[in-house]
Amino acid sequence: MPVLMKKPTRVQHPPEVELPAGNQALVPPIYQSVKFEYADVAQTEQGLRGRIPGFFYSRHSNPTLRQLELLLAEMQGREAALVTSSGVAAIGMCLFALLKQGDHVVCFAESYSPTRQLLKKVLARFGVTHTLLSIEDMDGLERTLREKPTRLVIFESPTNPVTKVADIPRLTALARSHGALTVLDNTFAGLHQHGEFDIDIYLHSLTKYASGHGDVLGGAVIANADLIRSMHGDFTVFGATLDPHAAYLILRGMKTYFLRCREQAATAMVVARFLEAHPQVSAVRYPGLESHPQHALARAQMQEDFGSVVTFEIRGGLEAARRFTDALDYFALAGSLGSTESLVMPPQLVQPRDLPAALVPASGITENTIRLSIGLEAVEDLIADLSQALEKSAS
Ligand SMILES: *Cc1c(COP(=O)(O)O)cnc(C)c1O
């Protein structure tokens, strides 16, 4: 090694550690590098034209991101994926990459509100129109698809917060027969579910179950290789790329993904049954309960688990909901879901006011609605906490 160089030069070109052949790290290293170089100009040219594999600039691609993308695609049963800096970035970039002026989109009143905002406030400025329906209105979907040429249908299942279950086979068959793409924001059900359906594109907020620990934002778009290839250029120029260190944290979270999902869903089921039997509770919405209006559909579509979001109606209105929420010790009053800590949110606090009057009831949110996201605490402690808070809500 030429140590003739002066020290200021040396710190720019430090000694390198190369692992000998056959020797490798068990946990893949984080490629915390923006740039990559090839051996010479000829190779660089080939690399930039995509004729040889490799990496050049991390906004386009990076080995740590690629590693996460390969894993996520496989988890969802598709060929390829692109990861983004947040779940909302995945939704926005996916819509921009797929839509053009004059296109029409169907979305639903029960959807994640930034998705509706993107269509209503942003894409509308670029001449993209949309129709808003209830996810329960499949006749309305059929009518809309018949009357308006539609580029894509974007939906969720179960929906947030009242866990309505989309009839996925019916929805996808309708969309397919009318030439519309289906985009499922599958964050609630998770990467391990819904892969068997005829869905073109899956979106995920990796901020939730995938990373699992509430310490990192991320998003993903998962589809067949052709679709992902066609979107990659647009994603690169939007630039909402995931940071390699964030990708590493998500990869690390994925190692305990199944353990967490299983445990959190099992605890959610116990919590749902406890709430259902409680006199201070007038209704519980959890797809795993026999009393859920679409339990049979949920059972057919969600074959692994029913998730960790339990929503219920407390007796006593806004004041009782407030007393209950403030009395909880182990549930943090915070948005999001799928983290290791349990969370509580009275959704009326964050209820968007954009829904047309006719669709407000479809949201299912009332002044009594409370959403719980179940974490990894001992189930006995969570039940005891809910029990004392429900008692306090009544007085
Ligand atoms: C949280 C969430 C998102 C957005 O994800 P961020 O990572 O917070 O941007 C999108 N869709 C659903 C269903 C979500 O719950």
Side-chain angles (χ1 to χ4, degrees), residues 86-89 91 112 156 160 185 187-188 205-208 217-218 337:
S86 71
V88 163
I91 301 169
Y112 187 62
E156 291 159 39
N160 180 13
D185 179 339
T187 301
F188 257 58
S205 165
L206 305 176
T207 314
K208 314 292 171 55
L217 287 160
L337 63 125

Side-chain angles (χ1 to χ4, degrees), residues 27-39:
V27 174
I30 310 172
Y31 286 87
Q32 195 74 44
S33 180
V34 173
K35 292 150 286 180
F36 296 84
E37 65 174 350
Y38 289 97

Side-chain angles (χ1 to χ4, degrees), residues 337-389:
L337 63 125
S339 56
T340 58
E341 314 91 358
S342 290
L343 309 171
V344 60
M345 180 56 75
Q348 63 276 6
L349 276 186
V350 291
Q351 186 170 28
R353 318 210 180 272
D354 67 300
L355 289 178
L359 281 171
V360 170
S363 81
I365 301 170
T366 74
E367 60 172 25
N368 304 300
T369 308
I370 294 184
R371 184 186 77 181
L372 302 175
S373 167
I374 303 302
L376 285 175
E377 298 90 345
V379 63
E380 297 82 358
D381 286 335
L382 294 183
I383 298 288
D385 196 24
L386 291 167
S387 181
Q388 63 83 20

